[in-house]
Amino acid sequence: MKLLAGNSNRALAEAVASRLDLPLTRAQVKRFADNEVWVTIDENVRGEDVFIIQSTNYPANDNLMELLVCIDALKRASARRITAVMPYFGYARQDRKTGGRTPISAKLVANLIERAGADRVLTMDLHSGQIQGFFDIPTDNLISAPLLANDIKINYDKPADIMIVSPDVGGVVRALAVASRLNAELAIVDKRRSGPGKSEVANVIGDVSGRRCILFDDMIDGGGTLCNAAQALIDAGATEVSAYVTHGVMSGAAVERVNGSVLKELVMTDSIPAPERALEGGKIRYVSCDQLLGEAIRRIANEESVSKLFD
């Protein structure tokens, strides 16, 4: 087995390699003068089981092209099996036609990864579970619920007054996975989306009065959804509101919006590297997913069950 790292999240790749007690494969992933991706694998990978660790976060197009070119390089170097390890799968938010003349970008990216030569995909908390069906190759979608639920257990005493909250109806299954592990009740924020990246709260479903609420979502982009939901929960009588999110996209003024909100704390995994300014306000904290990814990679390499990770 070999591990190859792109440039999107080098720190996470190194942490996974350390967990597996393996060195990262020697490679050069650079740019030509006009910013085209240039890749050279500096060691023999013929007949090897190779895992490429590369999220497709910002700059999404550059990181996606890096992944595709690395896959092509490995395929032409006669790697036995190529697994694209994408802790964060970009372009996942357009997963169906929501109106006339709109693309299904998630399917397009799935096609690109397959055509480049990947034999398997390993990702975490896809924006929509049905994206697994966009691939005609084996696709493992890890869930961060056990990782984040364990962090809640460690950092929150008196779990009886905790309530897990889904920031929208579409995230109920995801939030329920955490609530069931904590034996906690579930509430839902009825969110109405007026456009891409814009939302407003219509109602809070469930009695949150006097409860410590924990919002749980798959990603935070501009921060408007979580911050609006947190304010709605406080207005409905919650004593405090925190948020747990798998993917910290944190675009635009998201960091400043979170630090200026009623949120007590925002906890995210390191599937996307943390911007330096995110750690300065004191409200944002990161939990590493290196152990989860490392164990999944080990199980795939050894032909063991990945689903048993979540039993």
Side-chain angles (χ1 to χ4, degrees):
M1 177 173 61
K2 287 186 180 291
L3 299 177
L4 177 66
N7 292 319
S8 70
N9 198 339
R10 185 82 184 187
L12 177 59
E14 291 173 350
V16 170
S18 178
R19 287 278 181 184
L20 294 170
D21 196 24
L22 284 173
L24 289 174
T25 298
R26 296 190 308 275
Q28 301 177 61
V29 185
K30 299 180 179 180
R31 295 287 190 274
F32 285 105
D34 62 354
N35 213 38
E36 287 182 4
V37 176
W38 175 69
V39 172
T40 299
I41 311 298
D42 291 331
E43 60 184 81
N44 182 28
V45 294
R46 183 179 296 273
E48 296 281 0
D49 192 3
V50 186
F51 295 80
I52 309 171
I53 303 175
Q54 175 82 338
S55 285
T56 50
N57 50 280
Y58 177 84
N61 299 333
D62 290 351
N63 287 328
L64 177 59
M65 277 305 302
E66 271 192 18
L67 174 63
L68 298 176
V69 176
C70 285
I71 292 172
D72 187 72
L74 291 169
K75 183 179 180 181
R76 296 177 188 280
S78 301
R80 177 173 59 85
R81 181 171 66 175
I82 303 166
T83 301
V85 181
M86 307 171 68
Y88 170 68
F89 183 90
Y91 282 103
R93 282 171 282 188
Q94 284 190 297
D95 57 1
R96 63 194 184 281
K97 283 184 71 69
T98 56
R101 298 166 299 281
T102 57
I104 304 179
S105 305
K107 172 60 175 171
L108 170 63
V109 171
N111 288 342
L112 290 171
I113 292 169
E114 283 190 49
R115 290 288 295 171
D119 299 296
R120 191 181 193 102
V121 170
L122 174 63
T123 186
M124 183 170 68
D125 276 350
L126 284 168
H127 189 60
S128 300
Q130 70 262 23
I131 294 174
Q132 293 177 82
F134 293 174
F135 290 91
D136 291 324
I137 55 178
T139 303
D140 295 298
N141 181 29
L142 305 178
I143 59 174
S144 65
L147 175 67
L148 298 180
N150 185 60
D151 188 83
I152 293 172
K153 289 178 182 178
I154 293 171
N155 291 282
Y156 285 79
D157 57 353
K158 299 180 182 178
D161 67 345
I162 289 177
M163 180 171 272
I164 302 299
V165 182
S166 172
D168 54 40
V169 176
V172 170
V173 174
R174 193 178 298 113
L176 188 59
V178 175
S180 61
R181 291 177 181 273
L182 298 172
N183 196 26
E185 295 182 44
L186 180 70
I188 305 167
V189 174
D190 180 16
K191 178 189 72 174
R192 308 294 167 87
R193 188 172 291 281
S194 56
K198 299 178 182 179
S199 65
E200 55 187 41
V201 174
N203 194 21
V204 176
I205 304 171
D207 183 11
V208 299
S209 180
R211 308 296 289 272
R212 290 187 295 168
C213 292
I214 300 177
L215 287 158
F216 188 81
D217 207 356
D218 67 315
M219 71 166 68
I220 176 173
D221 189 355
T225 295
L226 280 182
C227 293
N228 291 342
Q231 186 61 60
L233 292 169
I234 292 294
D235 294 343
T239 57
E240 66 178 48
V241 183
S242 299
Y244 276 72
V245 176
T246 306
H247 308 299
V249 179
M250 304 300 281
S251 60
V255 172
E256 292 73 22
R257 190 172 287 119
V258 168
N259 287 329
S261 72
V262 297
L263 281 171
K264 178 186 176 184
E265 182 181 42
L266 171 61
V267 181
M268 300 180 285
T269 75
D270 56 353
S271 63
I272 295 174
E276 290 185 11
R277 70 185 196 284
L279 305 175
E280 295 172 357
K283 281 192 177 184
I284 300 175
R285 178 166 61 86
Y286 282 81
V287 175
S288 183
C289 57
D290 62 321
Q291 183 174 1
L292 176 62
L293 289 171
E295 179 61 17
I297 289 172
R298 187 194 67 78
R299 286 171 178 264
I300 291 171
N302 293 338
E303 304 296 344
E304 299 175 12
S305 171
V306 174
S307 61
K308 285 189 177 295
L309 275 170
F310 311 108
D311 290 344

